[in-house]
Amino acid sequence: PDLEAELQLDRLKPRLSRRVLLLRGHQASWREELLVTPGTLPQCRNLTAYLRDEAEFKDKLSPVALSVALALPREAPGLVLYGNTLVQAQVGG
């Protein structure tokens, strides 16, 4: 079965005010279907993001929240994805 993967950068901000964008496409989100096949090696995706120029936004104190979501497609009856994970890290500069 496939998994629907979605990454949201700076998700607590409105779309037009997001301070972090992906280098490829200059968007604040990424979506892709990941093929999961038993017995194969794990898949990895490297996505490079950048912080917009600080002159483009006023809010420099609130954290940059990222989210990753994995979901089964709606066309996958009888399959269940178990587990919830919350990872938080604060990095100072």
Side-chain angles (χ1 to χ4, degrees):
D2 293 340
L3 283 177
E4 296 174 356
E6 181 178 16
L7 170 69
Q8 291 285 328
L9 303 175
D10 207 14
R11 66 180 180 81
L12 300 178
K13 295 288 183 188
R15 280 206 184 272
L16 296 176
S17 301
R18 294 196 178 176
R19 301 163 291 175
V20 180
L21 300 174
L22 291 167
L23 188 59
R24 186 179 72 190
H26 307 286
Q27 299 295 317
S29 63
W30 168 85
R31 289 184 75 119
E32 188 171 308
E33 284 190 10
L34 304 175
L35 181 61
V36 179
T37 306
T40 61
L41 294 173
Q43 294 185 37
C44 296
R45 295 289 190 270
N46 291 320
L47 302 169
T48 303
Y50 64 94
L51 187 62
R52 295 172 75 171
D53 188 290
E54 66 182 51
E56 294 185 43
F57 56 89
K58 295 178 182 178
D59 182 6
K60 296 178 181 122
L61 298 178
S62 65
V64 175
L66 310 176
S67 68
V68 175
L70 297 172
L72 288 167
R74 294 181 186 176
E75 304 84 37
L79 296 176
V80 178
L81 186 62
Y82 287 102
N84 293 322
T85 302
L86 174 64
V87 177
Q88 284 186 287
Q90 184 170 340
V91 179

